[in-house]
Amino acid sequence: MLKRTIKFTPIAASVALTLGLTACGSDNDGNVYVPPVESVTSSDDAQFNVEVTGKAVKGAMKGAVVSVMTLNATGESVPVAFRLEASAEAETFTGEATSQDAADAAVEASKLAGNPDALITNDSGRYSIYLEDNFSGPVYITVTTSEEGDDSFLRCDAYVGCGTYDTAPEEDNVNDGDMNIEFGEWYKADLELSVVKYVAPVKADSSEASGAAGDANVARSFRANVTFLTTLVAQALLEAEGDIDADSIAATSLNTIVQIMGPDAVILLSALIGDLSNGGAVDLSEVDGEESLSQGVLMIAQLSSSIQGLPSITDAMASIKAGIASGTLSTTDIAKTLQIAVSSTASVFTAIATGDEVAIKNALEAAFLANNPDATAEEIAEFAQNSAGIASKAKAAKDQAVKNGAATDEELAKLAIVVQAALEELGCTEDECVIEGDFFAELAVELSAQIDASSVELTSLQASVESAEATLVDVEELASTVTDLETAIEFVAAVAALENEAEASNLAASIDTLHVKAQGYVNTATLLVSQNSDYQSILSTAATLEELALIEVNKVETYDSALAQLVIDAESIITEYEIEVEAAKEIALNTADIADEKKTAANTSEAASTSALAAAQSAVNSAAMDVEIKVEAAINAASEFSAAVNVLELAVQQSIKAAQDYLDASVAESDEELEAETLLEQAEIMASEAAVQAELANEQLLTALNLQEEAQLVVATASVKVTSESLSAMTVLTNTGGQSVIDAADILVDVIDELGGMGNSGDGSSTRQPDWSYNYDLDALTLALENESTGEMISASASYQGDKLVVAWGATLMGDEGVSIKLVTGESRTAALEECEQFAAGTITDPTQIDSCLIFTFDGEVDADTVDDAEIVNTETWNHVEIMDGESGFVGMLNLTADDATDMGTVTLEGMSGDLDFKVMGMVDSSGDEDESTLEVMVKGDTAMGYTLSLTGMESTGYTGDVKAMYNGEMMSFGSANKVTNGVSITYIDGDVVSYTDVDLIDSSK
């Protein structure tokens, strides 16, 4: 708070007293008295301990100029006071002026005067600023690189490159010396990115909160990454000229990301969409592990990488911004260009995560062609020549990301596939862009799942922190026991071991990442609650997670500070007891022992991985029932092998350093020097062996991942075979069931033909089918047939409707071997006929809503007197069918059509057979010299696998086709099919040939 005081000088006080006594403004000589101007002084105590930190990435922007502003009530950018380090204690700022407002302004100007002259990002694009402890509101940060005039650079993280240099740089360990700006290379460019971060008011209970940067002077910490997406959000917020707070940032972020990525993909960004500045600042060419590579982060990183590969980043961003503002982004040219670029990036990343360098090289060349359709043969050849080197860099970047803890190899492989699928179709159109209740419900489910996963992770981290604290206490207690050389060496070695353990666990980075995630969960949960208060429980859970994570942040900060003090104490002990050589020796021996332990663990993991991989390969080759289980075990074993090698490599690095320190401390030509050289040599040999194991672990994981695809195909093929076998038992396809239907049709034809030569009505027994009795009335257009011995019956009721004769009919028929066929009709003839009349007239359009109807269409209007002379041009029947043969059954609709004009006939049978969703579509073309038939049998069971058996051909040449099923989102052929005598033969993709007999799939005579 500003402290306002009014100061009076002695002269001013005297004059004021005189004026008070005389109550007059002039003297006896007529001179006018002018009172002195009062001086107002204002002061304020300020401590700069609110951290705002992040990275500017489009790849990384190093040496970039950072501008920090705030936004006033009218939305204008105005300076804000900040520092580059957190304040250890409060500073006092004063100002003096002629009015209170002017004095207050002078205080603020004094704070601003203390701002740093320049703020630039480091080599990773990192920046950090510290605002006043009572600051709240929006902070507007811009990061700028320039093509000329400073030392700012962009790093290219686009797999297909970022254009060309004006002048080729010298060849070094980053640049290869040619004119192409390739993946991982630095280059100069004009680019400005920005972010608007809302700093919430301080909470009442935040006095003990600390930042995530490991600085005890930080009271609160906010992540504010600067990326392509945060720039679009910031520009939209500034142009809207409204109030900027957490709600407006969340709403703008959501609208931006939905229009770019589409609502389905956005669900995967659940932890970030409330504030996109919380994540996604990942340079794919150098992932430092500060941010875990979740599906959302990978999506943003790949999108950003794709933008960088376009001819002009600035132009692309301007076009995207305009498309979002107008709500028509998906229809723009930039959307089409971006889709190609993003799809290419995703395919390359999948190759990096799941393939070797050859696969990466092939994916790179395909991506280059997709992004450069007009490339010359020379340009294509040049990229192909360089693609092997790019593939090597890309794989190395992935391997380093794993070593840095951003993700495991297994996680990246799985994430790559998910992200590639999510990025196959960007954007949204019309109603898709309208975010409503269903979207938020789906978002709530995904967010809850991520919160649950992070809660499990927090529990594990809490245990690790507790263990680390306990070890720390043990070492601190050891310090009090130092009384001689032996105890001094023991203490120093223990401190060194603790340092190594802390480096290996990397607790600070892990808990920091989780804490930032939790902040993102809270932002998104707040967005959900703004839509529906029912989501309050999700917000409460997220807030609790954030609070608990912050507690661990504080613990780790305390731990790191205590460890740093122990290191200082150890150095003092070394000096005090003069044990530099002895301590170095003990540390070197201890780290060598630990490296040996990690080597043994890695060897054990290698053996387990090798064994599991062999078992998986055998299971795939033999199409074993448990193939997926064994392949998953191989993937897990290979992933554990890789993790064990990573631990080993760090332990070896620590051993090498300790051995070198021992060597440096040793006296020349002494026993210690010889021992140190031996330890160093052994550590370096172990490092070489670890590198070989790392390659083997990577190879085994890739092999296991490829086996997973084969295993899935084996399981899918087996499922297709089972489905094919079920076809042979289906009544609607077997000869037994089919013949029963034909026999019933023969009976009906015989009786109707017999009745044709009789009167308008009558009843009796058929002479052609003695078991059947009949009752008919041509005036009423009714017919009933009954078989008293079997209980079979056929009934029909008809009416003339313009050019149509509409028949409602039903039947209960019995075939051989217990087969029964029922054509379902209405409860009464009148109701059934009325329903069929409405269907024929088009009043009822859904055939599943009717029972059994037969419709004859003539070449003109017909009635009882004209029907005999009319010509039928089309026949169609929709029947509600129930068929049972004792083993399987079918319930559904049977549609038959016959078009006399085209000599085309079709049959559609659709419904359920057992637990299978079953559909048959057949067609007979009789327009030629020989009937040509086509048949498709589609089955869908509980496995959600779409299955289609297709056959086509002629009787003289034979019927051939294939079996297809849904696999990885597409219909895939699982085998070829041929019509054989009394059935069908299928040759599956695994070479297995299976014949299904007693199956009559195509027979035009029936």
Side-chain angles (χ1 to χ4, degrees):
M1 293 293 292
L2 293 177
K3 301 172 184 176
R4 299 165 181 172
T5 58
I6 301 177
K7 294 184 178 180
F8 294 92
T9 64
I11 297 176
S14 176
V15 171
L17 180 60
T18 301
L19 289 175
L21 294 172
T22 61
C24 180
S26 61
D27 57 21
N28 294 333
D29 296 328
N31 296 321
V32 177
Y33 171 74
V34 179
V37 177
E38 293 182 350
S39 177
V40 180
T41 299
S42 182
S43 67
D44 188 19
D45 292 335
Q47 188 168 356
F48 293 85
N49 57 13
V50 176
E51 180 187 48
V52 178
T53 183
K55 289 193 295 185
V57 173
K58 183 60 250 62
M61 302 172 71
K62 78 169 179 178
V65 177
V66 182
S67 169
V68 184
M69 308 287 279
T70 188
L71 302 171
N72 63 19
T74 62
E76 295 177 310
S77 299
V78 295
V80 62
F82 69 94
R83 300 294 183 265
L84 297 184
E85 294 181 358
S87 303
E89 55 187 31
E91 301 176 60
T92 299
F93 299 90
T94 61
E96 186 172 352
T98 58
S99 69
Q100 188 65 59
D101 288 343
D104 292 346
V107 169
E108 296 305 316
S110 178
K111 294 177 185 177
L112 290 172
N115 282 3
D117 294 334
L119 171 59
I120 61 173
T121 60
N122 67 10
D123 287 356
S124 298
R126 166 74 64 189
Y127 76 93
S128 293
I129 62 169
Y130 299 87
L131 304 171
E132 286 186 70
D133 53 1
N134 63 351
F135 179 90
S136 65
V139 185
Y140 178 48
I141 297 169
T142 61
V143 182
T144 307
T145 59
S146 301
E147 189 168 4
E148 297 178 354
D150 62 14
D151 292 328
S152 62
F153 288 88
L154 283 177
R155 183 160 49 205
C156 177
D157 74 339
Y159 295 122
V160 294
C162 301
T164 58
Y165 297 102
D166 292 334
T167 303
E170 293 183 5
E171 184 175 352
D172 53 28
N173 61 346
V174 174
N175 299 294
D176 58 9
D178 64 17
M179 294 294 292
N180 299 309
I181 305 172
E182 294 172 355
F183 180 77
E185 295 185 354
W186 293 102
Y187 67 105
K188 298 284 289 178
D190 291 327
L191 179 66
E192 180 180 286
L193 299 182
S194 57
V195 63
V196 172
K197 185 71 179 184
Y198 181 73
V199 176
V202 64
K203 295 179 181 178
D205 61 349
S206 66
S207 58
E208 296 182 359
S210 67
D215 190 333
N217 297 321
V218 175
R220 293 182 292 153
S221 182
F222 296 87
R223 182 70 60 88
N225 291 320
V226 187
T227 66
F228 150 66
L229 287 175
T230 66
T231 303
L232 294 174
V233 172
Q235 291 173 349
L237 286 166
L238 267 61
E239 292 177 4
E241 297 182 348
D243 292 337
I244 297 178
D245 54 19
D247 290 341
S248 62
I249 290 175
T252 306
S253 296
L254 179 58
N255 177 65
T256 299
I257 202 69
V258 164
Q259 290 206 49
I260 294 176
M261 289 189 171
D264 292 339
V266 168
I267 295 297
L268 302 181
L269 289 163
S270 58
L272 297 174
I273 57 176
D275 184 349
L276 292 170
S277 71
N278 276 326
V282 172
D283 180 345
L284 291 176
S285 67
E286 189 169 328
V287 182
D288 54 21
E290 290 185 15
E291 193 167 353
S292 60
L293 292 180
S294 64
Q295 55 193 13
V297 169
L298 268 180
M299 288 172 67
I300 293 177
Q302 291 185 27
L303 179 68
S304 181
S305 168
S306 302
I307 290 287
Q308 193 176 19
L310 299 181
S312 170
I313 302 174
T314 302
D315 290 348
M317 289 178 59
S319 298
I320 293 171
K321 171 188 169 185
I324 293 173
S326 64
T328 60
L329 177 60
S330 62
T331 63
T332 61
D333 290 339
I334 187 60
K336 299 173 185 175
T337 301
L338 184 59
Q339 179 67 77
I340 294 171
V342 170
S343 296
S344 298
T345 299
S347 65
V348 172
F349 189 86
T350 299
I352 294 169
T354 63
D356 55 17
E357 289 189 22
V358 174
I360 301 171
K361 181 179 186 297
N362 292 337
L364 282 167
E365 292 173 10
F368 179 80
L369 291 175
N371 283 273
N372 300 277
D374 299 325
T376 64
E378 182 180 358
E379 290 170 335
I380 294 172
E382 183 180 7
F383 185 84
Q385 184 178 1
N386 294 334
S387 59
I390 301 171
S392 179
K393 282 185 178 181
K395 182 181 180 301
K398 186 270 294 185
D399 291 342
Q400 190 60 46
V402 172
K403 291 185 190 311
N404 289 338
T408 66
D409 280 312
E410 182 183 0
E411 288 169 342
L412 280 183
K414 293 178 179 179
L415 286 171
I417 295 171
V418 172
V419 170
Q420 183 176 10
L423 296 177
E424 284 180 352
E425 186 176 350
L426 297 176
C428 59
T429 57
E430 299 178 354
D431 292 344
E432 293 177 341
C433 300
V434 179
I435 304 303
E436 296 178 329
D438 289 347
F439 170 85
F440 289 108
E442 189 176 351
L443 175 61
V445 171
E446 178 65 25
L447 181 62
S448 295
Q450 293 199 29
I451 292 174
D452 290 343
S454 291
S455 297
V456 172
E457 183 183 357
L458 175 62
T459 299
S460 176
L461 284 171
Q462 286 170 327
S464 297
V465 171
E466 184 177 356
S467 176
E469 288 176 326
T471 305
L472 177 73
V473 170
D474 291 341
V475 177
E476 287 176 329
E477 291 176 352
L478 197 61
S480 62
T481 65
V482 175
T483 56
D484 52 23
L485 288 176
E486 183 179 349
T487 54
I489 293 170
E490 182 184 2
F491 169 68
V492 171
V495 172
L498 192 61
E499 271 194 291
N500 287 342
E501 289 176 12
E503 181 183 11
S505 65
N506 199 18
L507 284 175
S510 298
I511 195 62
D512 179 30
T513 297
L514 182 60
H515 180 233
V516 173
K517 274 187 186 178
Q519 289 177 322
Y521 297 151
V522 170
N523 289 331
T524 303
T526 302
L527 174 64
L528 285 171
V529 171
S530 71
Q531 301 297 316
N532 190 325
S533 60
D534 290 345
Y535 297 125
Q536 180 61 48
S537 61
I538 299 177
L539 176 57
S540 298
T541 304
T544 298
L545 177 65
E546 182 188 6
E547 292 170 3
L548 293 175
L550 184 57
I551 290 173
E552 299 307 308
V553 168
N554 294 335
K555 288 182 179 179
V556 173
E557 178 189 309
T558 301
Y559 171 88
D560 287 343
S561 297
L563 177 57
Q565 183 59 52
L566 281 174
V567 172
I568 295 173
D569 294 343
E571 291 171 350
S572 298
I573 292 292
I574 291 172
T575 302
E576 179 183 350
Y577 286 88
E578 299 179 349
I579 54 172
E580 181 179 358
V581 175
E582 293 84 352
K585 174 181 179 178
E586 186 69 14
I587 293 170
L589 291 172
N590 289 346
T591 53
D593 289 342
I594 292 173
D596 285 338
E597 292 175 6
K598 303 307 181 186
K599 174 63 174 173
T600 300
N603 290 345
T604 302
S605 293
E606 178 183 344
S609 178
T610 302
S611 176
L613 187 60
Q617 184 69 68
S618 176
V620 169
N621 293 339
S622 62
M625 294 294 292
D626 60 349
V627 60
E628 286 189 305
I629 295 174
K630 289 191 173 177
V631 169
E632 186 65 27
I635 292 173
N636 292 337
S639 185
E640 289 172 5
F641 178 25
S642 179
V645 174
N646 286 338
V647 171
L648 169 62
E649 288 184 315
L650 178 57
V652 171
Q653 290 172 10
Q654 293 171 341
S655 181
I656 290 174
K657 179 181 182 302
Q660 185 64 57
D661 289 344
Y662 181 26
L663 181 61
D664 293 342
S666 301
V667 178
E669 299 181 2
S670 65
D671 291 340
E672 286 84 2
E673 183 184 44
L674 179 60
E675 184 178 36
E677 288 175 343
T678 301
L679 288 172
L680 183 58
E681 181 181 355
Q682 291 172 343
E684 289 173 342
I685 291 173
M686 192 178 293
S688 298
E689 293 173 347
V692 172
Q693 282 188 303
E695 285 297 320
L696 178 60
N698 186 62
E699 290 173 8
Q700 291 191 342
L701 179 59
L702 294 180
T703 301
L705 290 169
N706 290 330
L707 282 179
Q708 187 174 48
E709 294 183 8
E710 294 184 43
Q712 290 170 348
L713 190 56
V714 166
V715 172
T717 303
S719 176
V720 169
K721 289 180 182 179
V722 171
T723 306
S724 296
E725 291 168 0
S726 69
L727 294 180
S728 63
M730 290 185 182
T731 308
V732 291
L733 294 180
T734 61
N735 282 338
T736 302
Q739 190 60 50
S740 299
V741 177
I742 300 305
D743 291 344
D746 289 343
I747 294 170
L748 185 59
V749 170
D750 282 346
V751 174
I752 291 176
D753 187 48
E754 180 181 348
L755 297 179
M758 300 174 66
N760 284 348
S761 63
D763 58 67
S765 296
S766 169
T767 57
R768 299 183 185 181
Q769 298 286 343
D771 294 335
W772 287 82
S773 61
Y774 59 83
N775 184 308
Y776 74 97
D777 187 336
L778 295 183
D779 292 329
L781 293 180
T782 60
L783 169 67
L785 303 177
E786 183 178 359
N787 186 325
E788 293 184 0
S789 62
T790 62
E792 296 174 276
M793 57 80 62
I794 301 173
S795 65
S797 179
S799 68
Y800 296 106
Q801 302 290 322
D803 63 347
K804 294 179 175 60
L805 175 62
V806 179
V807 183
W809 67 330
T812 300
L813 306 172
M814 300 297 296
D816 296 335
E817 302 179 12
V819 173
S820 67
I821 303 97
K822 182 178 181 180
L823 301 180
V824 179
T825 188
E827 294 182 1
S828 69
R829 288 183 175 180
T830 301
L833 181 58
E834 181 180 344
E835 188 177 75
C836 290
E837 289 171 348
Q838 292 179 15
F839 180 65
T843 305
I844 298 177
T845 58
D846 183 0
T848 63
Q849 301 303 309
I850 64 170
D851 289 315
S852 301
C853 302
L854 175 62
I855 303 169
F856 299 97
T857 302
F858 297 86
D859 57 356
E861 290 193 10
V862 292
D863 54 27
D865 298 327
T866 62
V867 67
D868 290 340
D869 298 325
E871 182 179 349
I872 297 177
V873 295
N874 190 65
T875 303
E876 184 174 20
T877 177
W878 281 98
N879 303 294
H880 184 174
V881 182
E882 295 179 2
I883 305 175
M884 290 298 296
D885 69 354
E887 295 180 3
S888 65
F890 175 83
V891 177
M893 296 300 298
L894 170 64
N895 169 231
L896 300 169
T897 64
D899 189 333
D900 287 6
T902 60
D903 284 337
M904 298 281 289
T906 63
V907 57
T908 303
L909 189 66
E910 185 171 6
M912 296 296 296
S913 181
D915 60 354
L916 297 177
D917 188 349
F918 182 78
K919 184 174 183 179
V920 176
M921 297 179 65
M923 183 273 293
V924 178
D925 183 354
S926 302
S927 60
D929 295 335
E930 183 181 0
D931 290 350
E932 181 178 358
S933 302
T934 300
L935 182 77
E936 282 193 346
V937 180
M938 288 161 281
V939 183
K940 184 177 181 181
D942 294 336
T943 59
M945 177 178 259
Y947 174 102
T948 302
L949 169 63
S950 302
L951 287 171
T952 185
M954 298 181 180
E955 194 69 37
S956 62
T957 57
Y959 301 100
T960 60
D962 61 5
V963 174
K964 292 183 177 180
M966 288 298 297
Y967 184 71
N968 284 342
E970 298 180 355
M971 288 298 289
M972 170 181 163
S973 177
F974 279 83
S976 59
N978 292 278
K979 176 74 166 61
V980 296
T981 303
N982 197 32
V984 61
S985 176
I986 300 177
T987 302
Y988 292 99
I989 55 176
D990 60 1
D992 196 8
V993 180
V994 181
S995 295
Y996 305 102
T997 58
D998 192 31
V999 179
D1000 203 343
L1001 294 172
I1002 296 181
D1003 188 341
S1004 60
S1005 67
K1006 298 179 180 180

